[in-house]
Every structure is written in C-alpha cells, then in structure tokens.
Amino acid sequence: TLMRAPITNDAELASSLFSIENRVRNMEDELREAHVERLSSGVCQPGAGPVFMDLLSCMVHVAEHMKKIAQFIVETSKY
C-alpha cells in the first residue's frame, strides 16, 4: 500500500503519492460546492458546516504531508 512507502523507502511507490495531493484538492473543491448546495437547499444543518469544512481542510493537510514525505523518499533514494 502507499502507506508502506516511508517504511520501505520505495521510491517508485512514493512517486505514486505525488498525484494524490491534486486529487484531494479536486475532491475538496467538489465537496465544498456540494456542501454549499446542501446548505442552500436545507438538506444540511448550518451547524454542521464548520465541522465539515475543518474536516476537508485536514484532509488537504494530510495529502500535503504525504506529498512532502514522498518527495523526501524519492530524493534520498538517489543517494
């Protein structure tokens, strides 16, 4: 799995993590838009908004950290 890349120092596996950040960012945009639509239509309670937005933000931060770890693995595997 992708989570094994830091443990095994597998540069090829780590490289596959680079695209994840972009996919997560795209997913974040889609989920934010869908959430606003749910709020507008009354399907979602307004109090859930901040929690949902914080969750999306945390998801992006995790993806950013994964990318940085992958970059480190790829760079150090050259030596």
Side-chain angles (χ1 to χ4, degrees), residues 24-57:
V24 169
R25 286 189 180 277
N26 291 338
M27 189 185 322
E28 176 195 24
D29 291 340
E30 293 171 12
L31 291 171
R32 283 184 189 275
E33 288 177 22
H35 180 65
V36 170
E37 289 175 16
R38 287 192 307 274
L39 282 172
S40 297
S41 65
V43 173
C44 188
Q45 295 180 359
V51 174
F52 186 74
M53 295 301 181
D54 282 347
L55 180 64
L56 292 180
S57 179

Side-chain angles (χ1 to χ4, degrees), residues 4-14 69 72-74 76-78:
R4 292 182 52 182
I7 297 167
T8 61
N9 283 329
D10 186 338
E12 186 176 331
L13 185 58
I69 291 168
F72 177 79
I73 292 169
V74 169
T76 58
S77 71
K78 294 177 184 177

